[in-house]
């Protein structure tokens, strides 16, 4: 059976058919996202990289239709979700990050005058054909956290054992502490 996520077709055609795509794919199917995850995990020693991370499931539910009565504005609604591995920015150990995004998109030509409305976000197409997997992948990439972390500090590795404890008192050098007095002397 063909994978409708990989087919390039006109958005209007998908909308006319009221196409529904309900699939679970492996993370490795989303090549750009997998490359981002691989680059992040590459900072870990070989023994710490989670085995089988490329096989993590990506749940996809897409529904195509029209946003207007005149059937001129193709729309895409649905959800995409994935659990990916990343390097925790607190403890530098691998952690699972849950990505889940809802889609409510107007599929419009690049530079089109169509604007966002009625809760829709405009998704500009640089090509007349749409590949649904590209929308899924771009949505998940945009959902990646800037600083991934474990859900709680208790789940972090040994590097964070002393977070929250007070550091030893140190003598702080303040090079500009007497600047105002020096300026006043020179005037």
């Amino acid at each position: 059976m063909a994978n409708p996520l990989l087919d390039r077709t006109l958005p209007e055609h998908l909308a006319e058919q009221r196409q529904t795509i309900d699939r679970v794919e492996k993370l490795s199917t989303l090549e750009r996202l997998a490359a981002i995850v691989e680059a992040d995990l590459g900072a870990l020693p070989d023994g710490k990289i989670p085995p089988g991370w490329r096989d993590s499931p990506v749940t996809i539910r897409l529904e195509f239709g029209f946003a207007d009565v005149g059937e001129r504005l193709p729309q895409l609604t649905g959800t995409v979700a994935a659990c990916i591995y990343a390097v925790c920015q607190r403890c530098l150990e691998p952690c699972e990050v849950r990505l889940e995004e809802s889609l409510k998109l107007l599929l419009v030509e690049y530079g089109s005058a169509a604007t966002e409305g009625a809760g829709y976000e405009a998704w500009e197409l640089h090509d007349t054909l749409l590949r649904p997997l590209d929308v899924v992948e771009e949505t998940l990439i945009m959902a990646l956290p800037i600083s991934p972390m474990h859900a709680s500090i208790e789940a972090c590795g040994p590097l964070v054992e002393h977070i929250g404890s007070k550091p030893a008192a140190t003598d702080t050098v303040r090079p500009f502490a007497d600047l105002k007095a020096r300026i006043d002397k020179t005037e």
Side-chain angles (χ1 to χ4, degrees):
M1 178 158 72
N3 186 343
L5 287 170
L6 302 175
D7 294 339
R8 290 189 164 299
T9 189
L10 292 169
E12 294 83 5
H13 181 69
L14 293 167
E16 287 167 0
Q17 292 181 332
R18 307 295 194 253
Q19 177 75 44
T20 298
I21 301 172
D22 198 358
R23 295 183 62 97
V24 176
E25 294 287 335
K26 292 181 180 180
L27 178 62
S28 59
T29 306
L30 289 80
E31 295 172 1
R32 289 183 305 140
L33 180 59
I36 292 168
V37 172
E38 183 173 29
D40 189 43
L41 294 178
L44 296 171
D46 287 337
K48 295 241 180 180
I49 297 174
W53 66 266
R54 287 178 181 86
D55 296 329
S56 298
V58 178
T59 306
I60 302 164
R61 171 108 178 122
L62 306 176
E63 296 176 5
F64 293 88
F66 288 101
D68 62 330
V69 179
E71 295 190 349
R72 288 175 290 133
L73 293 173
Q75 73 172 8
L76 168 60
T77 59
T79 57
V80 293
C83 259
I84 64 161
Y85 286 96
V87 177
C88 174
Q89 297 303 295
R90 263 193 302 237
C91 68
L92 304 177
E93 298 282 334
C95 67
E96 274 190 274
V97 177
R98 176 98 177 127
L99 306 174
E100 190 166 347
E101 291 294 313
S102 294
L103 302 171
K104 191 170 180 185
L105 308 173
L106 287 178
L107 305 171
V108 297
E109 289 181 34
Y110 181 74
S112 171
T115 60
E116 302 163 14
Y120 287 94
E121 180 179 344
W123 189 277
E124 291 185 335
L125 302 168
H126 293 276
D127 189 2
T128 56
L129 301 177
L130 171 73
R131 183 175 168 229
L133 187 66
D134 293 340
V135 175
V136 169
E137 186 168 42
E138 190 68 29
T139 299
L140 290 173
I141 288 171
M142 290 188 301
L144 289 171
I146 293 172
S147 296
M149 290 184 270
H150 286 98
S152 68
I153 199 165
E154 290 81 24
C156 283
L159 185 63
V160 296
E161 288 177 358
H162 301 290
I163 288 181
S165 63
K166 294 192 179 208
T170 58
D171 193 14
T172 305
V173 176
R174 297 179 60 199
F176 301 108
D178 66 338
L179 183 61
K180 183 170 179 0
R182 287 183 186 192
I183 291 172
D184 289 342
K185 276 186 183 180
T186 61
E187 291 180 350

